[in-house]
Amino acid sequence: MGEEEEAVAAFVEEAGLFYERLGLSRTEGRVMGRLLSAPEDDADAPALCEALGVAKSSMSVSLRRLEQAGLVERFRRPGGRRDRYRLADDVFQRAFRAKMAEFDRFRALAERGLAAVGDDPRRRERLELMRDMYGFMADRFPDLLDEWDRVKQERGR
Amino acid sequence: MGEEEEAVAAFVEEAGLFYERLGLSRTEGRVMGRLLSAPEDDADAPALCEALGVAKSSMSVSLRRLEQAGLVERFRRPGGRRDRYRLADDVFQRAFRAKMAEFDRFRALAERGLAAVGDDPRRRERLELMRDMYGFMADRFPDLLDEWDRVKQERGR
DNA sequence: CGTTTTGTTCGGATCATTCCGAACAAAAGG
DNA sequence: CCTTTTGTTCGGAATGATCCGAACAAAACG
């Protein structure tokens, strides 16, 4: 294996670890790493199995889960016979929006807590802080994404 | 069990699931839920074991990990004989800062990828986008936290 | 000192997840 | 139709994390 391929393989493994921390499986994370660093913009399942040393059954479920998460798109070339896979063009925006949704779930959890604890002001204080802070973040986060879109435009893509 | 206690217990379990999704263990998450919703501002280990039905050995490691994560503070009352535990007063800020650190690790991962793929512009494009977007978010996030601090001040606590 | 209280560490049991290979289903081509 | 190709589902093995009870260490008291 050439030096560069080895470095790319290392990157793929590291991406696997990173995405695993985010709740994907190791294999799903490695697929992300591969699609991020491969020379081609897309790949089919057998190629990914070969590149990553994964059984096609595992690849099948990994790709479906990535597809359902909106991180990977499945498509077929006109006249083609097998599915191909590529990163969604808004893959990072999606990741951030997922974070945002997480904020909102936390806000909702705080609401449930407030409903549970009743009137004691001391018990409510912490949960109100939690609710308001996560609510604030969920409010502001979309602006941040918009701002990024503008910056990206100006940068020219 | 009273209606309210039951609702609080349900909240604790739900908090356990939420925090588990963030990378804590179930028990650690339940401790967070308990400290968020308990009538008292702090608790000792036996009380938490009793409330959550957890062995003291498990509680010991959970509390230490929460302490190391900066989510929970360990302290001892003057003249007291056992440690007590309370939520860090900046517990939510800390959670957000952890998210921010995650953004920066992703940026660093993209840098590693760029170092690995070499000069091919097509391969660099995706990774540069990843690097720049996560870098942008890591840049702007502290401002968001500052803004929240101001809002919280104005709100009056 | 010896005793009691408090907190940590250890080994093993349990549980959930992930992954593989094989069987299966579905679709396309000839 | 029948065959080939493609993708999914199933059962089980392996892995890793979590948790428990018991043994252990350390500190506070008398």
Side-chain angles (χ1 to χ4, degrees), chain A residues 8-149:
Chain A
V8 171
F11 168 78
V12 168
E13 292 311 315
E14 201 150 350
L17 286 166
F18 265 76
Y19 280 101
E20 190 174 33
R21 247 178 281 169
L22 296 192
L24 303 186
S25 73
R26 181 72 60 95
T27 300
E28 286 155 13
R30 294 170 74 226
V31 169
M32 291 296 293
R34 174 74 190 178
L35 291 176
L36 276 168
S37 61
E40 303 81 21
D41 277 336
D42 57 79
D44 59 29
L48 289 169
C49 290
E50 167 67 20
L52 301 179
V54 166
K56 74 168 185 169
S57 55
S58 309
M59 188 55 70
S60 176
V61 339
S62 288
L63 288 170
R64 187 161 35 97
R65 289 192 52 185
L66 287 172
E67 184 191 8
Q68 286 173 343
L71 298 175
V72 161
E73 291 170 352
R74 182 192 302 246
F75 69 103
R76 195 168 287 197
R77 290 175 176 162
R81 304 183 49 160
R82 52 173 70 159
D83 292 345
R84 304 191 63 79
Y85 306 88
R86 69 181 159 222
L87 291 179
D89 47 345
D90 60 345
V91 56
F92 302 122
Q93 276 94 335
R94 275 181 181 277
F96 280 101
R97 265 191 278 273
K99 284 274 164 269
M100 195 183 63
E102 184 184 285
F103 292 162
D104 205 58
R105 285 199 300 275
F106 261 91
R107 186 198 49 71
L109 177 65
E111 304 266 20
R112 280 168 163 264
L114 284 167
V117 297
D119 294 332
D120 178 358
R122 208 150 41 95
R123 294 176 88 176
R124 297 188 68 84
E125 192 179 345
R126 283 187 298 270
L127 290 166
E128 285 171 355
L129 182 62
M130 174 174 170
R131 176 196 61 189
D132 294 345
M133 182 162 180
Y134 281 100
F136 173 85
M137 292 294 165
D139 269 0
R140 286 294 202 282
F141 215 75
D143 297 345
L144 216 53
L145 279 172
D146 291 345
E147 196 182 341
W148 165 249
D149 279 341

Side-chain angles (χ1 to χ4, degrees), chain B residues 93-106 134 137-143 145:
Chain B
Q93 276 94 336
R94 275 180 180 277
F96 281 101
R97 264 190 276 274
K99 283 276 166 266
M100 195 183 63
E102 183 184 284
F103 292 164
D104 205 58
R105 284 199 301 274
F106 261 91
Y134 280 100
M137 292 296 165
D139 269 0
R140 291 303 165 80
F141 216 75
D143 296 345
L145 278 172

